[in-house]
Amino acid sequence: VLPLNDTRLFGFVKESLNGKEKIIVLANPETNGTHTVRLSNVYNIMGTTIVRDISPGRKIEKVLDHIEYNLEPGEVKLFYIKR
């Protein structure tokens, strides 16, 4: 589980058994209300500066080391790497 700035949000990191893939999942489980998620040290968490946003909805073109993003109700962000 990732420590996030807002307890109404949910986040975790998952790594494949062979260590070649890793994903950060950030979610706003609420049905009303946009909430801002702030996450620092993304590159350190992922182990690289090349991180892709594979979210089903609105995508961030360039994932930066510090993320500050407004999560819409029910929105999920997926940040992924493959080595």
Side-chain angles (χ1 to χ4, degrees), residues 42-43 49 51-53 60-65 67 79:
V42 173
Y43 297 162
T49 59
V51 180
R52 290 180 30 217
D53 182 347
I60 297 173
E61 192 171 318
K62 167 99 173 98
V63 179
L64 301 175
D65 191 38
I67 293 169
F79 301 113

Side-chain angles (χ1 to χ4, degrees), residues 27-53:
N28 178 1
E30 294 198 348
T31 56
N32 8 324
T34 299
H35 301 292
T36 302
V37 62
R38 291 179 191 86
L39 183 63
S40 297
N41 300 316
V42 173
Y43 297 162
N44 187 44
I45 293 168
M46 299 301 267
T48 182
T49 59
I50 302 168
V51 180
R52 290 180 30 217
D53 182 347

